[in-house]
Amino acid sequence: GGCCSLLTSSSKREWKPLEDRSCTDIPWLLLFILFCIGMGFICGFSIATGAAARLVSGYDSYGNICGQKNTKLEAIPNSGMDHTQRKYVFFLDPCNLDLINRKIKSVALCVAACPRQELKTLSDVQKFAEMNGSALCSYNLKPSEYTTSSKSSVLCPKLPVPASAPIPFFHRCAPVNISCYAKFAEALITFVSDNSVLHRLISGVMTNKEIILGLCLLSLVLSMILMVIIRYISRVLVWILTILVILGALGGTGVLWWLYAKQRRYPKETVIPEQLQIAEDNLRALLIYAISATVFTVILFLIMLVMRKRVALTIALFHVAGKVFIHLPLLVFQPFWTFFALVLFWVYWIMTLLFLGTTGSAVQNEQGFVEFKISGPLQYMWWYHVVGLIWISEFILACQQMTVAGAVVTYYFTRDKRNLPFTPILASVNRLIRYHLGTVAKGSFIITLVKIPRMILMYIHSQLKGKENACARCVLKSCICCLWCLEKCLNYLNQNAYTATAINSTNFCTSAKDAFVILVENALRVATINTVGDFMLFLGKVLIVCSTGLAGIMLLNYQQDYTVWVLPLIIVCLFAFLVAHCFLSIYEMVVDVLFLCFAIDTKYNDGSPGREFYMDKVLMEFVENSRKAMKEAGKGGVADARELKPMASGASSA
């Protein structure tokens, strides 16, 4: 369906992109709709058969829902109680986590109020019960027996009872003391064998939390400034980034070595014994950072030295991308809408998962407490729900790629930019909804088919960790790595297939084949344009991370509170990279789409009357310069001729 294929001979008819529109991959759209209906059925089933009151109000370890009268369950002691006045769920040991089964290993009770202050002794627990009417010990123990019964150590909460507050809308008593959550971090971080090291790392994060927040905001501001720079000075952006990154890498490396030398000369006799270990940890961290920065700087310098001759086309492509953002300013906000849609879906998915967890019949476990489990074929709904998470999330991301591709393609193949639609982004969304939802559904399903086996292998690897032999571990890791590489390749091919679909309105398979042929025919251009462009944007991300990290080093190093700042610095750098990636990923996507449009344009047009280029004047100048360079290289420059030959042949083959 749609206009002529990208591979149609231009001698038979004039190739005109954006000519016809027709729906593509309709069967896949119907399949996706049926799948979404199945997701809706799971949601309706979990709400209808599950107990919403158990999710919202919570229930104790005996199956009683808090805040209402309950029905007696057979062979379950303490069930069927009247908890009308007891509206909150209280855990006797809220910080005891079972990470394997993902639940709290503690007896849950329904109480009238959560303890807002720490209770250090059983006498405090008894006074709290007498004053507030909220018994924090087991139902079998009266408040008057808290301090006298020998069973108090088992039936009463673990002392000291941390101060807690009810979670809004879910009526669970959650500890408010941060030290309780430090135990969660200890349980999650299994590679740290020395708990004293972990405590120092956590204390470093908590002491410097204001600085961490400020540095995260700094990375956000730097990313926004870089986007403005990309829009308005794209011609010199590549050179600016190159110079700044080199200077930043050299400066950062020099500062790290200077700090290391300074702290190494600092006399240890003046450091109190309690801070000596912290000083040694910081010195070791500075040495590791300095060596890593040195290696990174050397590699970065060598790469840029090799790629220096291929910057001209990248500059031209970046200049056109800057014009795209000037004409299509809403592209900057595209990640926010995608993130908002993903958050809405994830909230729906999690709420359905929680409702699904309340379905089933009451079953007594080996401890004598109540759990709710689904039996029969319906228990496999979990797998359907997990597949839905992956497929629909990939579908939303693919919709963003298709929207950006459609808008950029419209801009590129519109000769008179004054004839652009009033809002090209909304026009692209309209075309996506009317014609190409099936193509997006098929492309996202292919990614899902690769992700699911990789996730299964990763789960098997985590479950067998320490149990499998070296051969099995190597095979598992190799399979996971191969599937990851395949996923990245398919993602890149899918993005180019969406661009071909936006141009020709062909189905996914045809578009993927045409895009693949174009990419193979222009293999050198892929290496020089796409790779160099992505590398320049990567340098922008490195610049933001280095700037934020350097500011963090200076602030954290001169803190009065002498704490380990390794973990805070890692947190800041990771956040800075994620923020920069979110902002620059759209620019990277625009460059990729422009590259494919440029390759197609030079394939079917040569600038002659009737077959004029659609490209911008900057790219036309580059094509002319390439032709002149090839003619000059043909006289003596063999190496340069070999590099520029595909560009000339691509243009002349039209």
Side-chain angles (χ1 to χ4, degrees):
C3 67
C4 58
S5 170
L6 303 181
L7 304 180
T8 302
S9 173
S10 57
S11 61
K12 295 182 180 179
R13 55 167 294 182
E14 181 184 1
W15 175 74
K16 293 182 179 180
L18 311 175
E19 204 175 41
D20 302 322
R21 291 291 168 195
S22 60
C23 294
T24 55
D25 294 297
I26 296 179
W28 281 95
L29 176 59
L30 296 177
L31 178 62
F32 182 74
I33 293 174
L34 289 176
F35 185 86
C36 291
I37 292 175
M39 292 285 291
F41 168 78
I42 292 178
C43 180
F45 172 81
S46 61
I47 294 176
T49 61
R54 286 203 293 266
L55 175 63
V56 178
S57 301
Y59 60 95
D60 61 16
S61 297
Y62 309 100
N64 299 303
I65 299 175
C66 299
Q68 70 178 45
K69 292 183 178 180
N70 294 275
T71 305
K72 178 69 176 178
L73 299 175
E74 295 184 5
I76 303 296
N78 295 325
S79 63
M81 300 182 67
D82 185 2
H83 288 322
T84 306
Q85 303 300 324
R86 302 171 179 173
K87 300 180 179 180
Y88 303 102
V89 180
F90 175 76
F91 298 96
L92 298 188
D93 189 4
C95 296
N96 188 7
L97 285 181
D98 182 1
L99 295 180
I100 297 177
N101 297 315
R102 295 173 296 279
K103 62 183 180 180
I104 299 176
K105 294 173 62 177
S106 172
V107 177
L109 303 175
C110 293
V111 298
C114 301
R116 297 304 182 101
Q117 295 180 349
E118 186 181 48
L119 306 177
K120 298 182 179 180
T121 64
L122 288 176
S123 299
D124 294 337
V125 177
Q126 189 177 38
K127 290 178 182 179
F128 179 80
E130 293 172 351
M131 294 178 61
N132 299 278
S134 182
L136 302 183
C137 294
S138 179
Y139 305 135
N140 299 327
L141 198 64
K142 297 179 181 180
S144 59
E145 301 174 348
Y146 286 0
T147 57
T148 59
S149 176
S150 59
K151 299 180 180 179
S152 298
S153 59
V154 178
L155 301 180
C156 289
K158 183 180 179 181
L159 297 176
V161 180
S164 60
I167 300 176
F169 307 109
F170 288 100
H171 303 89
R172 271 78 167 176
C173 295
V176 297
N177 191 349
I178 195 66
S179 63
C180 182
Y181 298 105
K183 296 180 181 179
F184 294 165
E186 287 183 23
L188 292 174
I189 304 175
T190 57
F191 58 85
V192 178
S193 58
D194 186 3
N195 287 333
S196 61
V197 175
L198 182 60
H199 281 299
R200 291 199 298 273
L201 292 175
I202 295 174
S203 65
V205 174
M206 298 311 303
T207 304
N208 302 303
K209 55 183 180 294
E210 292 83 6
I211 293 180
I212 293 175
L213 180 60
L215 291 172
C216 291
L217 293 177
L218 175 64
S219 65
L220 181 62
V221 172
L222 291 176
S223 299
M224 297 178 69
I225 292 175
L226 186 59
M227 286 298 297
V228 174
I229 293 174
I230 289 175
R231 282 187 58 181
Y232 293 105
I233 59 170
S234 55
R235 277 186 177 273
V236 295
L237 173 65
V238 175
W239 295 116
I240 290 176
L241 285 177
T242 302
I243 295 172
L244 287 179
V245 168
I246 291 177
L247 293 178
L250 292 175
T253 304
V255 168
L256 286 171
W257 282 112
W258 173 73
L259 289 174
Y260 172 74
K262 180 182 177 182
Q263 290 200 14
R264 190 177 180 182
R265 291 194 304 266
Y266 193 81
K268 297 182 180 180
E269 293 78 10
T270 59
V271 181
I272 61 177
E274 290 77 8
Q275 294 181 348
L276 183 59
Q277 183 61 42
I278 296 178
E280 292 178 355
D281 289 341
N282 281 338
L283 186 64
R284 191 181 303 110
L286 276 175
L287 179 60
I288 295 174
Y289 288 155
I291 294 175
S292 301
T294 303
V295 174
F296 174 79
T297 302
V298 172
I299 295 175
L300 185 65
F301 183 77
L302 292 176
I303 292 176
M304 298 180 73
L305 188 65
V306 171
M307 304 180 77
R308 70 189 187 279
K309 294 183 179 180
R310 303 177 178 178
V311 175
L313 185 53
T314 305
I315 292 176
L317 208 59
F318 270 50
H319 179 71
V320 178
K323 288 186 177 181
V324 171
F325 278 94
I326 293 175
H327 286 87
L328 283 68
L330 291 180
L331 276 178
V332 179
F333 302 99
Q334 191 62 34
F336 293 100
W337 310 129
T338 304
F339 179 74
F340 180 70
L342 285 173
V343 168
L344 286 181
F345 170 68
W346 289 340
V347 169
Y348 155 81
W349 189 87
I350 292 173
M351 293 303 297
T352 303
L353 184 67
L354 292 175
F355 277 114
L356 198 59
T358 63
T359 59
S361 55
V363 178
Q364 190 174 15
N365 60 18
E366 47 279 357
Q367 286 83 23
F369 301 133
V370 172
E371 294 180 355
F372 295 90
K373 295 183 179 180
I374 306 175
S375 59
L378 294 178
Q379 61 182 321
Y380 299 108
M381 287 190 300
W382 297 88
W383 292 101
Y384 192 97
H385 197 57
V386 170
V387 173
L389 172 66
I390 302 174
W391 191 4
I392 297 179
S393 297
E394 290 296 328
F395 179 84
I396 294 173
L397 294 174
C399 285
Q400 172 185 265
Q401 295 177 349
M402 192 73 184
T403 300
V404 173
V408 176
V409 164
T410 300
Y411 170 85
Y412 187 96
F413 289 106
T414 300
R415 296 188 188 277
D416 189 356
K417 306 307 179 188
R418 292 173 295 181
N419 295 332
L420 284 171
F422 179 70
T423 53
I425 291 290
L426 295 181
S428 180
V429 172
N430 178 55
R431 290 197 301 271
L432 167 65
I433 296 175
R434 292 180 61 185
Y435 304 115
H436 305 312
L437 284 179
T439 298
V440 172
K442 187 174 183 178
S444 57
F445 180 76
I446 292 175
I447 301 298
T448 304
L449 285 181
V450 179
K451 273 196 170 187
I452 291 177
R454 184 166 66 88
M455 293 178 65
I456 293 175
L457 290 177
M458 291 175 65
Y459 175 77
I460 294 174
H461 180 262
S462 64
Q463 292 297 311
L464 298 178
K465 194 172 184 179
K467 300 178 182 178
E468 77 279 17
N469 55 37
C471 181
R473 183 167 59 252
C474 180
V475 171
L476 274 176
K477 289 185 177 180
S478 300
C479 293
I480 292 172
C481 181
C482 292
L483 288 174
W484 181 84
C485 295
L486 178 61
E487 180 185 337
K488 294 301 178 183
C489 294
L490 288 177
N491 268 322
Y492 180 73
L493 183 60
N494 278 10
Q495 182 177 327
N496 287 280
Y498 298 146
T499 303
T501 299
I503 296 173
N504 281 348
S505 193
T506 51
N507 59 44
F508 178 83
C509 291
T510 302
S511 300
K513 180 194 68 175
D514 295 341
F516 180 76
V517 171
I518 291 292
L519 293 175
V520 171
E521 289 179 349
N522 299 270
L524 187 58
R525 297 185 201 180
V526 174
T528 55
I529 301 174
N530 193 34
T531 304
V532 173
D534 292 348
F535 182 69
M536 290 296 109
L537 293 175
F538 173 73
L539 291 183
K541 300 174 188 178
V542 171
L543 177 62
I544 294 175
V545 172
C546 289
S547 302
T548 308
L550 184 60
I553 290 173
M554 302 304 294
L555 290 174
L556 293 171
N557 185 64
Y558 292 102
Q559 268 290 85
Q560 293 182 355
D561 296 325
Y562 201 73
T563 55
V564 177
W565 42 262
V566 176
L567 187 58
L569 188 61
I570 293 175
I571 292 174
V572 167
C573 290
L574 286 176
F575 184 84
F577 182 81
L578 290 176
V579 170
H581 178 73
C582 289
F583 276 89
L584 296 179
S585 61
I586 292 298
Y587 201 91
E588 185 176 350
M589 201 178 300
V590 170
V591 171
D592 290 340
V593 175
L594 286 175
F595 162 66
L596 191 63
C597 293
F598 173 77
I600 294 171
D601 195 10
T602 55
K603 179 179 177 66
Y604 293 102
N605 299 297
D606 57 4
S608 61
R611 293 166 62 184
E612 296 85 358
F613 288 122
Y614 287 91
M615 67 182 68
D616 189 89
K617 292 181 179 179
V618 178
L619 291 175
M620 289 184 187
E621 292 175 1
F622 178 81
V623 172
E624 293 301 324
N625 292 336
S626 299
R627 290 174 176 173
K628 292 178 182 178
M630 180 190 171
K631 291 179 180 178
E632 295 177 359
K635 299 177 181 179
V638 180
D640 290 337
R642 186 170 58 251
E643 181 174 338
L644 294 171
K645 185 176 180 180
M647 176 63 68
S649 63
S652 62
S653 63

